[in-house]
Amino acid sequence: MSEIEFPEGQYLSISGRIHPGSGGQTKALLMRNRLFAQHSTAEPVLLALDDSPKYPKMREALYESGQLPRGMPLFNVFEWYRDNTVDHLPPSGDVLPVVRGLEKVSIRHPDGTVYKTQYAKRSSDNVALLDYHRADGSVFLRVPAGEPNERSTITDVYLINSNGEPVGRWPTQQGWRRQWVLNFLEPNRRTFLFCDSRYAIANIMPMRDERLHIIHLVHNVHVRSPYSWSSAITSTYRPLFTFVPQLDALVTLTSRQGEDLAARFGATENLFVVPNPVETPPPPSPLPARDPKGFVILARLEFQKRLEDAIRAFALVVKEEPDATLDIYGDGTLHPFLAGEIKNHGVQESVRLRGFDPQARKALWTATGMLMTSRFEGYPLASLEAMSQGCPVISYDVKYGLREQITDGVNGFLAEAGDVQAIADHVVRMIRNPDMAAELSRGAFEHAERHDYRAFLEDWRSVLEQVVEMREHRTTIQSVNLKVTRLGFRRARRLPDSLAKGALLRRLNGRRTSSAGFTTARPVEFAARLKLTGRSNKATLDDVIITLEAVDEEAGSINAVPLEVRRVNEHFMLSSTLDPAQIFLDGTANPASAVRLRLRLVWHNSSWQTWLGRPRKLAPNFELSYSGSGELTLLRGPQVGR
């Protein structure tokens, strides 16, 4: 019986691929939909975009493992078009180009029929073109492949009926994939479309349909090292953030990541946080004893997991506790490298690469602790799963999620990223203090219980209700015109002769002047006029929030600067006076040495921002600049200002 009432509507989840044995992102997708189906009024449908021909077998494996409830539909776009004709669609009038000058290779479907045909240029292994076939051999899709300079003259994507006539033509695969998603939308019914994959969101956006509420989940770190809010965005996440204003919800797994996104793009109202839950497995009966010197890792053998640090840490452990063991479950491209690290550190008898094992999680019932030495995480399921089996986690404190899960000394330990010695020390402490290890195990159980499905579903109900409520107030910014009329030091005012003479006499007499202008920098003044053009069903310009901030991107510090905002129709009159000394101090031990002023506008789900520059009319022909060492540089006018 459904326990939690969700908003009425269709519930679709789309991902690049949904395979058994996939990583945490797919596991989280499957768990979310499984909990929706079992404990809410939602009836989820899953959609996948990859061209694997093995979905019948994979679907059954997901059913058998319990990851996918029987009766929950899982559709694949290629499988769907292979099994369903498009003869009901009118021909587009395009003529399907003839393939010439290419050699072809047929790829078989598991049922023995031709699944796809690869076309390549003669004497080349680079595939230029792909045809996908129905079971009767007819082609339903023709797509270009490879880099543009390696392709044939066919550059468009064609969807084809059983008579060989195109019923759709697009410049990229986004078009036919968008059309496929729209096939699932019911007339006059709200649809929540959840997207867990950066690949998938890039292949379906933009989608403009009033029935759709599009929700994207961020499962991993979106920036490069050193993982500050201002660090470079990874190439895989960059396309996603161009679509944020068009999303009904962008959901992070931790508040810290949500705050970092708000620091970068603005605190728009479509940012939400929903942590992953954990499904506590039934304990074995009788409960097995834990190996007091046994530790475990469950992870992909890939760069992100930084397992070489775990091996190095354990090499330090066995010097103190020679009987200690570390079992690493998982597979990946770094298996040979990690095997070499184990040999180089002489811990072949202590550290064991167990490979992929579907029963690996049983080891969490008997291990004293689990190690995580990742470079970055999202909100890892592995650590929550360990805690749900009473296995404390010893982890680097990396972005994001581990700090939100682990309370140091209560349900595990946190170490500074890269501190191999600290990881080793925590392991040795747990081995030598069984009572402490048992207390940490109890703390892990208690923490996992607070991440049950009820809290998770209540979080999602709140998000979905807000998404529905905010729909009428969604905004689209069409243009922003900013005219800066003043940005610089306040002009010095000439003192009257009588006062000037008095000040000079006081200085000559050795007295201190009371005028702050003689000892401190002059205030900086900013004035501008901003015009916003946009549209919304119900939102008005009274809802616009404009802020001014002093930002040191290198240090990651942001300080609010007082800003006076006055609206006159569609114009906003902006003014500010600030003390330069104040904007360089953020309360830390290392005050900023260089900051920029960022002007930002937030209008419900939309945002706009710019770095303030000198008005062009105030740019001089030449300007002097001095480096930190005092060296002078002469700048020509066109190089300064904006």
Side-chain angles (χ1 to χ4, degrees):
M1 181 177 179
S2 300
E3 302 172 32
I4 297 180
E5 187 83 21
F6 274 11
E8 196 283 327
Q10 291 180 272
Y11 284 77
L12 307 179
S13 282
I14 188 166
S15 186
R17 61 200 295 264
I18 304 175
H19 294 188
S22 293
Q25 177 177 298
T26 301
K27 291 177 183 176
L29 176 154
L30 291 168
M31 179 168 58
R32 181 185 70 245
N33 285 284
R34 187 167 61 247
L35 294 175
F36 278 14
Q38 293 171 345
H39 302 291
S40 82
T41 53
E43 297 179 357
V45 174
L46 309 188
L47 308 176
L49 297 178
D50 63 317
D51 72 344
S52 172
K54 299 181 180 179
Y55 267 86
K57 182 178 180 180
M58 293 191 296
R59 192 180 288 110
E60 188 59 32
L62 290 169
Y63 289 144
E64 288 292 332
S65 66
Q67 295 182 77
L68 189 67
R70 290 194 180 274
M72 183 185 294
L74 166 57
F75 296 108
N76 170 266
V77 60
F78 289 88
E79 181 186 54
W80 193 89
Y81 278 114
R82 176 179 166 88
D83 296 340
N84 295 273
T85 69
V86 289
D87 292 351
H88 63 287
L89 298 176
S92 62
D94 296 301
V95 176
L96 188 65
V98 177
V99 180
R100 292 190 178 93
L102 298 175
E103 295 180 344
K104 66 179 183 179
V105 176
S106 295
I107 308 298
R108 296 283 171 177
H109 190 276
D111 65 10
T113 61
V114 176
Y115 179 64
K116 66 181 175 182
T117 300
Q118 297 178 341
Y119 296 87
K121 294 181 179 179
R122 291 184 175 89
S123 303
S124 173
D125 294 330
N126 296 323
V127 176
L129 188 68
L130 292 169
D131 276 349
Y132 289 88
H133 300 265
R134 301 183 184 90
D136 63 7
S138 61
V139 175
F140 69 82
L141 184 72
R142 175 165 291 171
V143 298
E147 297 299 323
N149 61 345
E150 299 169 348
R151 294 174 181 169
S152 69
T153 56
I154 300 171
T155 58
D156 288 339
V157 176
Y158 294 88
L159 188 63
I160 306 160
N161 65 21
S162 60
N163 296 319
E165 301 169 308
V167 296
R169 176 185 176 186
W170 300 272
T172 69
Q173 292 204 46
Q174 290 174 308
W176 79 285
R177 285 170 171 161
R178 277 197 293 263
Q179 178 168 306
W180 180 63
V181 173
L182 293 174
N183 285 329
F184 292 92
L185 273 58
E186 298 177 7
N188 303 315
R189 191 182 185 200
R190 177 192 301 129
T191 298
F192 297 101
L193 178 62
F194 294 79
C195 189
D196 292 77
S197 162
R198 289 158 278 174
Y199 168 82
I201 198 75
N203 272 274
I204 64 171
M205 292 293 284
M207 290 190 71
R208 298 180 177 90
D209 190 297
E210 287 301 314
R211 294 169 291 178
L212 275 175
H213 296 272
I214 301 176
I215 300 161
H216 185 85
L217 290 88
V218 181
H219 287 274
N220 221 321
V221 173
H222 61 280
V223 290
R224 299 186 183 279
S225 179
Y227 310 113
S228 166
W229 69 265
S230 56
S231 298
I233 298 174
T234 61
S235 58
T236 54
Y237 268 112
R238 205 172 295 124
L240 163 66
F241 295 126
T242 65
F243 300 124
V244 171
Q246 301 171 41
L247 299 175
D248 292 86
L250 180 66
V251 181
T252 59
L253 304 178
T254 69
S255 297
R256 276 198 298 166
Q257 188 168 21
E259 290 163 1
D260 280 359
L261 288 173
R264 189 172 209 121
F265 300 110
T268 53
E269 66 180 12
N270 57 348
L271 298 181
F272 298 93
V273 179
V274 180
N276 278 333
V278 61
E279 294 178 290
T280 304
S285 183
L287 197 65
R290 295 191 182 275
D291 179 352
K293 297 186 178 183
F295 292 78
V296 68
I297 290 175
L298 277 64
R300 293 175 291 110
L301 310 189
E302 301 294 349
F303 173 81
Q304 174 189 347
K305 302 303 180 180
R306 194 162 38 182
L307 296 177
E308 63 273 19
D309 275 20
I311 294 168
R312 293 164 188 164
F314 227 77
L316 298 174
V317 170
V318 296
K319 289 179 180 179
E320 302 287 331
E321 295 289 340
D323 296 333
T325 60
L326 175 64
D327 289 308
I328 301 175
Y329 292 91
D331 206 352
T333 59
L334 295 184
H335 187 284
F337 166 72
L338 296 172
E341 286 292 292
I342 291 171
K343 184 177 180 180
N344 291 340
H345 289 281
V347 290
Q348 298 94 316
E349 300 300 318
S350 305
V351 181
R352 298 167 290 209
L353 295 175
R354 297 292 194 181
F356 173 75
D357 183 349
Q359 303 298 317
R361 278 167 181 74
K362 291 182 179 179
L364 296 170
W365 289 113
T366 57
T368 288
M370 186 174 84
L371 274 57
M372 292 192 74
T373 51
S374 301
R375 288 177 169 82
F376 54 87
E377 288 289 345
Y379 194 78
L381 284 173
S383 47
L384 284 177
E385 290 171 346
M387 291 185 192
S388 73
Q389 294 175 237
C391 186
V393 181
I394 303 172
S395 173
Y396 283 160
D397 183 12
V398 295
K399 288 188 174 181
Y400 293 97
L402 279 310
R403 190 189 301 176
E404 284 79 4
Q405 295 178 3
I406 300 171
T407 302
D408 201 52
V410 175
N411 54 15
F413 291 108
L414 290 170
E416 184 178 344
D419 192 343
V420 171
Q421 185 65 59
I423 295 289
D425 290 344
H426 290 313
V427 171
V428 171
R429 286 178 62 196
M430 293 180 70
I431 291 174
R432 294 179 176 176
N433 193 335
D435 291 341
M436 179 187 70
E439 188 64 30
L440 290 170
S441 179
R442 284 189 288 272
F445 274 126
E446 293 172 0
H447 179 81
E449 288 175 354
R450 293 195 292 272
H451 282 70
D452 68 359
Y453 74 88
R454 295 177 185 84
F456 176 71
L457 294 179
E458 287 293 352
D459 285 344
W460 269 117
R461 177 167 67 176
S462 175
V463 170
L464 296 171
E465 288 176 347
Q466 290 179 71
V467 162
V468 173
E469 182 180 347
M470 293 186 311
R471 169 50 68 92
E472 290 299 304
H473 289 85
R474 287 180 59 80
T475 63
T476 299
I477 293 177
Q478 296 168 312
S479 67
V480 177
N481 182 273
L482 177 69
K483 184 176 182 181
V484 177
T485 56
R486 176 73 182 145
L487 183 62
F489 285 123
R490 177 182 290 169
R491 294 180 178 87
R493 296 183 179 180
R494 183 178 176 182
L495 293 173
D497 289 343
S498 58
L499 293 177
K501 290 178 181 178
L504 177 60
L505 288 173
R506 285 193 294 273
R507 291 178 65 191
L508 291 174
N509 292 332
R511 292 177 170 177
R512 295 183 62 187
T513 177
S514 61
S515 171
F518 286 101
T519 58
T520 62
R522 286 173 286 163
V524 173
E525 292 181 326
F526 162 65
R529 182 171 68 251
L530 183 149
K531 180 180 179 181
L532 169 65
T533 304
R535 64 175 186 269
S536 174
N537 288 340
K538 287 191 175 180
T540 69
L541 294 183
D542 289 333
D543 302 329
V544 170
I545 299 172
I546 302 177
T547 56
L548 183 62
E549 297 164 319
V551 180
D552 178 2
E553 289 184 288
E554 184 176 351
S557 65
I558 303 174
N559 289 318
V561 174
L563 179 68
E564 182 179 335
V565 181
R566 180 169 57 89
R567 185 164 79 86
V568 180
N569 298 322
E570 72 272 26
H571 290 88
F572 294 86
M573 314 307 293
L574 312 176
S575 62
S576 177
T577 301
L578 56 145
D579 181 349
Q582 290 301 314
I583 67 173
F584 281 95
L585 300 176
D586 62 0
T588 68
N590 299 307
S593 60
V595 300
R596 294 193 291 167
L597 291 180
R598 180 173 65 188
L599 185 69
R600 173 178 282 165
L601 179 154
V602 172
W603 192 26
H604 290 284
N605 55 287
S606 302
S607 66
W608 170 91
Q609 64 186 35
T610 189
W611 300 102
L612 293 183
R614 182 187 6 242
R616 288 188 180 277
K617 67 178 183 178
L618 297 183
N621 292 329
F622 300 96
E623 184 174 27
L624 296 179
S625 178
Y626 298 91
S627 69
S629 64
E631 295 175 350
L632 179 145
T633 303
L634 181 62
L635 303 176
R636 186 180 293 276
Q639 297 183 25
V640 298
R642 295 190 191 181

